[in-house]
Amino acid sequence: MELRAVQGYGSDLIGVTLAAPLRVAARSTNIADGLTLDQSVVTIGDAANGQLSDARLSFRGEQSLDGSGEVRFDGVSGGPGAGAYPRINMVEIRDGGSVCQVAH
């Protein structure tokens, strides 16, 4: 089983403890009130299904990424020769003054 955040205007995870795999396949998944990984994996991007669309895990304001899990990147297609609009999968810390604390 895998949760999937797919194309659209984005998804919000508010105060979530994640105990299942999550794939951010496209657009932005916004984190509010922190994200805790309970031996789970968050994969950003979806190269196996041909998704090349700027997948991002986005933190705004003071947030935390905590717990026992992994964040992986899949299918980065940016860089030299990628054209005028390269596709880049990322963890994004938004807005001036934002802080994301990563605990291990």
Side-chain angles (χ1 to χ4, degrees):
M1 177 182 74
E2 177 181 76
L3 300 172
R4 296 178 66 82
V6 296
Q7 290 189 7
Y9 289 103
S11 310
D12 295 321
L13 297 178
I14 302 169
V16 169
T17 295
L18 192 62
L22 169 67
R23 181 173 299 271
V24 180
R27 303 288 184 208
S28 181
T29 296
N30 304 301
I31 306 302
D33 297 332
L35 175 63
T36 301
L37 303 179
D38 183 5
Q39 299 182 1
S40 59
V41 175
V42 175
T43 303
I44 302 171
D46 195 6
N49 289 314
Q51 295 285 341
L52 301 173
S53 55
D54 296 330
R56 59 189 73 191
L57 192 61
S58 182
F59 294 84
R60 179 180 286 176
E62 286 196 35
Q63 301 296 328
S64 64
L65 175 59
D66 200 357
S68 57
E70 297 180 16
V71 176
R72 298 178 183 169
F73 296 91
D74 183 25
V76 176
S77 62
Y85 187 61
R87 307 295 187 193
I88 302 170
N89 300 319
M90 69 181 81
V91 172
E92 174 182 50
I93 312 236
R94 297 188 58 184
D95 302 331
S98 291
V99 175
C100 181
Q101 177 180 344
V102 179
H104 56 87

